[in-house]
Structures are given as structure tokens and as C-alpha cells.
Short mmCIF file of all heavy atoms in Angstrom, two decimals:
data_model
loop_
_atom_site.label_atom_id
_atom_site.label_comp_id
_atom_site.label_asym_id
_atom_site.label_seq_id
_atom_site.Cartn_x
_atom_site.Cartn_y
_atom_site.Cartn_z
N LEU A 1 0.82 -1.21 0.00
CA LEU A 1 0.00 0.00 0.00
C LEU A 1 0.86 1.26 0.00
O LEU A 1 0.53 2.24 -0.68
CB LEU A 1 -0.94 0.00 1.20
CG LEU A 1 -2.08 -1.02 1.15
CD1 LEU A 1 -2.87 -1.02 2.44
CD2 LEU A 1 -2.99 -0.77 -0.03
N ALA A 2 1.96 1.24 0.74
CA ALA A 2 2.88 2.39 0.72
C ALA A 2 3.47 2.56 -0.67
O ALA A 2 3.63 3.68 -1.16
CB ALA A 2 3.97 2.20 1.76
N GLY A 3 3.79 1.45 -1.34
CA GLY A 3 4.29 1.52 -2.71
C GLY A 3 3.24 2.05 -3.67
O GLY A 3 3.57 2.77 -4.61
N PHE A 4 1.98 1.72 -3.42
CA PHE A 4 0.89 2.22 -4.25
C PHE A 4 0.78 3.74 -4.13
O PHE A 4 0.63 4.44 -5.12
CB PHE A 4 -0.44 1.57 -3.83
CG PHE A 4 -1.61 1.96 -4.68
CD1 PHE A 4 -1.90 1.23 -5.82
CD2 PHE A 4 -2.40 3.04 -4.37
CE1 PHE A 4 -2.98 1.56 -6.62
CE2 PHE A 4 -3.48 3.39 -5.16
CZ PHE A 4 -3.77 2.65 -6.29
N ILE A 5 0.90 4.23 -2.92
CA ILE A 5 0.73 5.67 -2.69
C ILE A 5 1.99 6.46 -2.99
O ILE A 5 1.95 7.48 -3.66
CB ILE A 5 0.29 5.90 -1.22
CG1 ILE A 5 -1.08 5.28 -0.98
CG2 ILE A 5 0.27 7.39 -0.90
CD1 ILE A 5 -1.48 5.20 0.46
N LEU A 6 3.14 5.99 -2.53
CA LEU A 6 4.38 6.76 -2.62
C LEU A 6 5.28 6.38 -3.78
O LEU A 6 6.10 7.18 -4.20
CB LEU A 6 5.19 6.60 -1.33
CG LEU A 6 4.54 7.09 -0.05
CD1 LEU A 6 5.41 6.73 1.14
CD2 LEU A 6 4.31 8.58 -0.12
N GLY A 7 5.18 5.17 -4.26
CA GLY A 7 6.08 4.71 -5.32
C GLY A 7 7.40 4.25 -4.74
O GLY A 7 7.47 3.72 -3.62
N ALA A 8 8.48 4.46 -5.49
CA ALA A 8 9.80 3.96 -5.11
C ALA A 8 10.30 4.43 -3.74
O ALA A 8 10.97 3.67 -3.04
CB ALA A 8 10.82 4.32 -6.19
N PRO A 9 10.02 5.66 -3.30
CA PRO A 9 10.51 6.07 -1.98
C PRO A 9 9.90 5.29 -0.81
O PRO A 9 10.30 5.50 0.33
CB PRO A 9 10.12 7.54 -1.89
CG PRO A 9 9.97 7.99 -3.28
CD PRO A 9 9.48 6.80 -4.04
N ALA A 10 8.97 4.38 -1.06
CA ALA A 10 8.35 3.62 0.02
C ALA A 10 9.19 2.44 0.47
O ALA A 10 8.86 1.79 1.46
CB ALA A 10 6.98 3.12 -0.42
N SER A 11 10.28 2.13 -0.21
CA SER A 11 11.08 0.95 0.17
C SER A 11 11.66 1.04 1.58
O SER A 11 11.70 0.02 2.27
CB SER A 11 12.15 0.66 -0.87
OG SER A 11 12.93 1.79 -1.12
N PRO A 12 12.10 2.20 2.07
CA PRO A 12 12.53 2.25 3.47
C PRO A 12 11.40 1.93 4.45
O PRO A 12 11.65 1.47 5.56
CB PRO A 12 13.02 3.69 3.65
CG PRO A 12 13.46 4.10 2.30
CD PRO A 12 12.47 3.43 1.37
N TRP A 13 10.18 2.16 4.04
CA TRP A 13 9.03 1.81 4.87
C TRP A 13 9.04 0.30 5.15
O TRP A 13 8.77 -0.14 6.25
CB TRP A 13 7.73 2.21 4.17
CG TRP A 13 6.49 1.74 4.82
CD1 TRP A 13 5.79 0.61 4.52
CD2 TRP A 13 5.77 2.36 5.87
NE1 TRP A 13 4.69 0.49 5.31
CE2 TRP A 13 4.66 1.56 6.16
CE3 TRP A 13 5.96 3.53 6.60
CZ2 TRP A 13 3.74 1.89 7.15
CZ3 TRP A 13 5.03 3.85 7.59
CH2 TRP A 13 3.95 3.03 7.85
N GLY A 14 9.37 -0.49 4.11
CA GLY A 14 9.46 -1.93 4.30
C GLY A 14 10.54 -2.32 5.28
O GLY A 14 10.37 -3.25 6.07
N LEU A 15 11.67 -1.63 5.23
CA LEU A 15 12.74 -1.90 6.21
C LEU A 15 12.29 -1.54 7.62
O LEU A 15 12.59 -2.25 8.57
CB LEU A 15 14.00 -1.10 5.87
CG LEU A 15 14.87 -1.63 4.74
CD1 LEU A 15 16.09 -0.74 4.58
CD2 LEU A 15 15.29 -3.05 4.98
N ALA A 16 11.59 -0.43 7.73
CA ALA A 16 11.11 -0.01 9.04
C ALA A 16 10.10 -1.01 9.60
O ALA A 16 9.97 -1.14 10.82
CB ALA A 16 10.48 1.38 8.96
N ARG A 17 9.43 -1.72 8.71
CA ARG A 17 8.45 -2.73 9.14
C ARG A 17 9.10 -4.11 9.30
O ARG A 17 8.40 -5.11 9.40
CB ARG A 17 7.31 -2.81 8.14
CG ARG A 17 6.69 -1.48 7.78
CD ARG A 17 5.41 -1.17 8.39
NE ARG A 17 4.52 -2.30 8.42
CZ ARG A 17 3.36 -2.27 9.00
NH1 ARG A 17 2.95 -1.18 9.55
NH2 ARG A 17 2.60 -3.33 9.04
N ASP A 18 10.43 -4.17 9.29
CA ASP A 18 11.21 -5.39 9.48
C ASP A 18 10.99 -6.43 8.39
O ASP A 18 10.98 -7.63 8.65
CB ASP A 18 10.92 -6.03 10.85
CG ASP A 18 11.43 -5.18 12.00
OD1 ASP A 18 12.44 -4.49 11.79
OD2 ASP A 18 10.81 -5.20 13.07
N LEU A 19 10.84 -5.97 7.16
CA LEU A 19 10.80 -6.89 6.02
C LEU A 19 12.22 -7.09 5.51
O LEU A 19 13.07 -6.20 5.63
CB LEU A 19 9.95 -6.31 4.88
CG LEU A 19 8.44 -6.41 4.99
CD1 LEU A 19 7.79 -5.75 3.79
CD2 LEU A 19 7.98 -7.84 5.09
N HIS A 20 12.47 -8.23 4.93
CA HIS A 20 13.75 -8.47 4.27
C HIS A 20 13.86 -7.46 3.12
O HIS A 20 12.86 -7.15 2.46
CB HIS A 20 13.81 -9.90 3.73
CG HIS A 20 15.13 -10.28 3.19
ND1 HIS A 20 15.48 -10.03 1.88
CD2 HIS A 20 16.19 -10.87 3.78
CE1 HIS A 20 16.71 -10.46 1.68
NE2 HIS A 20 17.16 -10.99 2.82
N PRO A 21 15.07 -6.91 2.85
CA PRO A 21 15.20 -5.89 1.80
C PRO A 21 14.66 -6.31 0.44
O PRO A 21 13.99 -5.53 -0.24
CB PRO A 21 16.71 -5.64 1.74
CG PRO A 21 17.19 -5.97 3.11
CD PRO A 21 16.32 -7.09 3.59
N ALA A 22 14.91 -7.55 0.03
CA ALA A 22 14.40 -8.01 -1.27
C ALA A 22 12.87 -8.06 -1.27
O ALA A 22 12.22 -7.69 -2.25
CB ALA A 22 14.97 -9.38 -1.62
N LEU A 23 12.30 -8.48 -0.16
CA LEU A 23 10.84 -8.54 -0.05
C LEU A 23 10.24 -7.14 -0.03
O LEU A 23 9.15 -6.91 -0.58
CB LEU A 23 10.47 -9.31 1.22
CG LEU A 23 9.06 -9.85 1.31
CD1 LEU A 23 8.75 -10.74 0.12
CD2 LEU A 23 8.87 -10.61 2.60
N ALA A 24 10.95 -6.19 0.58
CA ALA A 24 10.48 -4.81 0.58
C ALA A 24 10.44 -4.24 -0.83
O ALA A 24 9.48 -3.56 -1.22
CB ALA A 24 11.36 -3.95 1.49
N VAL A 25 11.47 -4.53 -1.63
CA VAL A 25 11.50 -4.05 -3.02
C VAL A 25 10.37 -4.68 -3.81
O VAL A 25 9.68 -4.01 -4.58
CB VAL A 25 12.88 -4.32 -3.66
CG1 VAL A 25 12.84 -4.06 -5.16
CG2 VAL A 25 13.95 -3.45 -3.02
N VAL A 26 10.15 -5.98 -3.63
CA VAL A 26 9.06 -6.67 -4.34
C VAL A 26 7.71 -6.05 -3.97
O VAL A 26 6.86 -5.81 -4.84
CB VAL A 26 9.07 -8.18 -4.04
CG1 VAL A 26 7.81 -8.87 -4.52
CG2 VAL A 26 10.29 -8.83 -4.68
N ALA A 27 7.50 -5.78 -2.70
CA ALA A 27 6.22 -5.20 -2.25
C ALA A 27 6.02 -3.81 -2.85
O ALA A 27 4.92 -3.48 -3.31
CB ALA A 27 6.19 -5.13 -0.73
N VAL A 28 7.07 -3.00 -2.87
CA VAL A 28 6.96 -1.64 -3.42
C VAL A 28 6.70 -1.71 -4.92
O VAL A 28 5.87 -0.95 -5.46
CB VAL A 28 8.22 -0.82 -3.10
CG1 VAL A 28 8.25 0.48 -3.87
CG2 VAL A 28 8.28 -0.53 -1.61
N VAL A 29 7.37 -2.60 -5.62
CA VAL A 29 7.16 -2.74 -7.07
C VAL A 29 5.73 -3.20 -7.35
O VAL A 29 5.07 -2.66 -8.26
CB VAL A 29 8.20 -3.70 -7.70
CG1 VAL A 29 7.83 -4.04 -9.12
CG2 VAL A 29 9.58 -3.08 -7.64
N LEU A 30 5.22 -4.14 -6.59
CA LEU A 30 3.83 -4.58 -6.78
C LEU A 30 2.84 -3.44 -6.55
O LEU A 30 1.90 -3.25 -7.33
CB LEU A 30 3.51 -5.75 -5.84
CG LEU A 30 4.11 -7.10 -6.20
CD1 LEU A 30 3.79 -8.11 -5.11
CD2 LEU A 30 3.59 -7.57 -7.54
N GLY A 31 3.04 -2.69 -5.49
CA GLY A 31 2.16 -1.56 -5.21
C GLY A 31 2.24 -0.49 -6.28
O GLY A 31 1.22 0.05 -6.72
N SER A 32 3.45 -0.20 -6.74
CA SER A 32 3.63 0.83 -7.78
C SER A 32 3.02 0.39 -9.10
O SER A 32 2.43 1.20 -9.82
CB SER A 32 5.12 1.13 -7.96
OG SER A 32 5.63 1.71 -6.81
N LEU A 33 3.17 -0.88 -9.45
CA LEU A 33 2.57 -1.36 -10.70
C LEU A 33 1.05 -1.38 -10.64
O LEU A 33 0.38 -1.12 -11.64
CB LEU A 33 3.11 -2.75 -11.05
CG LEU A 33 4.54 -2.77 -11.55
CD1 LEU A 33 4.98 -4.18 -11.87
CD2 LEU A 33 4.71 -1.88 -12.76
N ALA A 34 0.50 -1.66 -9.46
CA ALA A 34 -0.96 -1.58 -9.31
C ALA A 34 -1.42 -0.14 -9.51
O ALA A 34 -2.43 0.12 -10.18
CB ALA A 34 -1.37 -2.10 -7.94
N CYS A 35 -0.67 0.79 -8.96
CA CYS A 35 -0.98 2.21 -9.13
C CYS A 35 -0.89 2.61 -10.60
O CYS A 35 -1.79 3.24 -11.14
CB CYS A 35 -0.01 3.03 -8.29
SG CYS A 35 0.12 4.75 -8.76
N ALA A 36 0.21 2.24 -11.25
CA ALA A 36 0.41 2.60 -12.66
C ALA A 36 -0.66 1.96 -13.53
O ALA A 36 -1.18 2.59 -14.46
CB ALA A 36 1.80 2.17 -13.12
N GLY A 37 -1.00 0.71 -13.25
CA GLY A 37 -2.05 0.05 -14.02
C GLY A 37 -3.39 0.75 -13.89
O GLY A 37 -4.11 0.92 -14.88
N LEU A 38 -3.72 1.19 -12.69
CA LEU A 38 -4.97 1.92 -12.48
C LEU A 38 -4.97 3.25 -13.23
O LEU A 38 -5.96 3.60 -13.89
CB LEU A 38 -5.18 2.16 -10.98
CG LEU A 38 -6.42 2.97 -10.61
CD1 LEU A 38 -7.67 2.17 -10.90
CD2 LEU A 38 -6.36 3.35 -9.14
#
């Protein structure tokens, strides 16, 4: 959801939520692509 709203700058949000860095990037990319698709 942070990736949907903020885009690429949301990746530190994933780190702050204790996600693995690779998983944080995947989550942000999924959110951003959902945003772009919409």
C-alpha cells in the first residue's frame, strides 16, 4: 500500500516494518505497478 501511494521512496518503509530488503522491493514494485495500471 505504501508503494501504491508513494512509489519507489516507500522501500525504506518496508525496512522499518522489518521486512527483508528483497521482499520490501518486491512489495513496493507490486504496489507501484498496481498504481500505474490503475
